Amino acid sequence: MKLNIMIMIIFFLFSTTIMFPQSIGISVGYGLVNMNEVNKDLEDSENLISSAGGITNDPDKVNGGLLLEGNFKYNIGNFNLGVLGNYISSSGSFSYNDISGSFEENYDVNTAEILGLFEILFPIENSTMQPFIQIAAGIGLASAEHLGDLRLYEDPSNNISVKNTVDGNYFAGRIKGGVNFLVNNIILELAGGYRIANAGELKGDHVENGVTLEDMPVRDINGNGIEFDYSGIFLTGGVSIIF
């Protein structure tokens, strides 16, 4: 489904590029994600083992990761209209091992977004620098994988292996501000902003010791569904070509 949507968007973008004067750009940066419930689940696993006497290390939390973006824009005076796509992924884990057994838990999360954008430019006379403010809204295509593995060396019959593969769609929005530097037909950009990207509970396959249950959320140790929030602040640098 994600692939079909991306193909349709790419076709639309290239068709509009042929019809109108456009700019095409790419940006790279770092984005935070607000995975409070995911990180709490990792912390609960660590607390459960430490309360039983295990000497544990803090979990690696899901905090953020590389943010990639591509965009097409159509300029109308001091305004830009366009379409952008972005992708961000992150991961977190907790592990423990002693003479009695081992425990591992991992999360890998990612999302791709397609948004329509509206941008206001603030030209500065006799300067190549141009501040801007951008707002955008569209759809996010989120997915996540959760792995859990408990092994008891003296009683393997109680071993538990869990894998969740979940996904879902959500409303995506953002506000972004920064400065452009125009050099001939090249635009250099420095920007930052906030992404609205709360995907809520994602659902999919829950595989436990080889038995598959469909349309299930990821659940914490209390049996509650876990929400995946990809929202967060971000910083990017980019380059665009005007043609």
Side-chain angles (χ1 to χ4, degrees), residues 47-229:
N47 290 335
L48 186 64
I49 292 177
S50 63
S51 64
I55 301 175
T56 61
N57 295 318
D58 292 337
D60 294 324
K61 295 182 179 181
V62 183
N63 291 322
L66 183 68
L67 176 65
L68 304 175
E69 178 187 302
N71 63 73
F72 288 86
K73 297 178 184 178
Y74 175 57
N75 180 254
I76 308 174
N78 292 334
F79 304 97
N80 283 328
L81 300 176
V83 178
L84 67 87
N86 62 57
Y87 176 85
I88 187 171
S89 63
S90 187
S91 62
S93 64
F94 169 72
S95 63
Y96 175 79
N97 185 48
D98 63 18
I99 60 173
S100 63
S102 66
F103 176 79
E104 293 186 8
E105 186 172 24
N106 298 282
Y107 280 93
D108 289 302
V109 302
N110 66 81
T111 187
E113 298 176 342
I114 302 296
L115 305 97
L117 68 86
F118 174 72
E119 196 169 83
I120 304 174
L121 308 173
F122 301 94
I124 298 176
E125 189 174 358
N126 300 321
S127 175
T128 60
M129 185 175 73
Q130 187 172 242
F132 71 90
I133 294 176
Q134 179 191 108
I135 57 174
I139 186 172
L141 309 171
S143 62
E145 183 178 82
H146 167 253
L147 301 175
D149 188 75
L150 173 65
R151 296 186 181 275
L152 302 175
Y153 300 145
E154 294 184 356
D155 189 4
S157 63
N158 287 321
N159 290 351
I160 300 174
S161 178
V162 175
K163 179 179 180 180
N164 300 96
T165 305
V166 295
D167 57 35
N169 304 333
Y170 62 91
F171 168 79
R174 77 173 186 183
I175 182 169
K176 174 181 175 182
V179 291
N180 292 331
F181 300 89
L182 181 61
V183 183
N184 296 324
N185 288 334
I186 303 296
I187 301 174
L188 303 178
E189 177 186 293
L190 295 174
Y194 185 82
R195 299 171 55 255
I196 302 169
N198 189 349
E201 284 188 9
L202 304 177
K203 294 185 177 181
D205 289 346
H206 172 97
V207 182
E208 184 170 337
N209 290 348
V211 178
T212 301
L213 299 176
E214 298 180 348
D215 197 33
M216 295 289 290
V218 182
R219 298 189 184 277
D220 60 21
I221 61 175
N222 297 312
N224 300 315
I226 292 175
E227 293 192 352
F228 293 80
D229 190 352

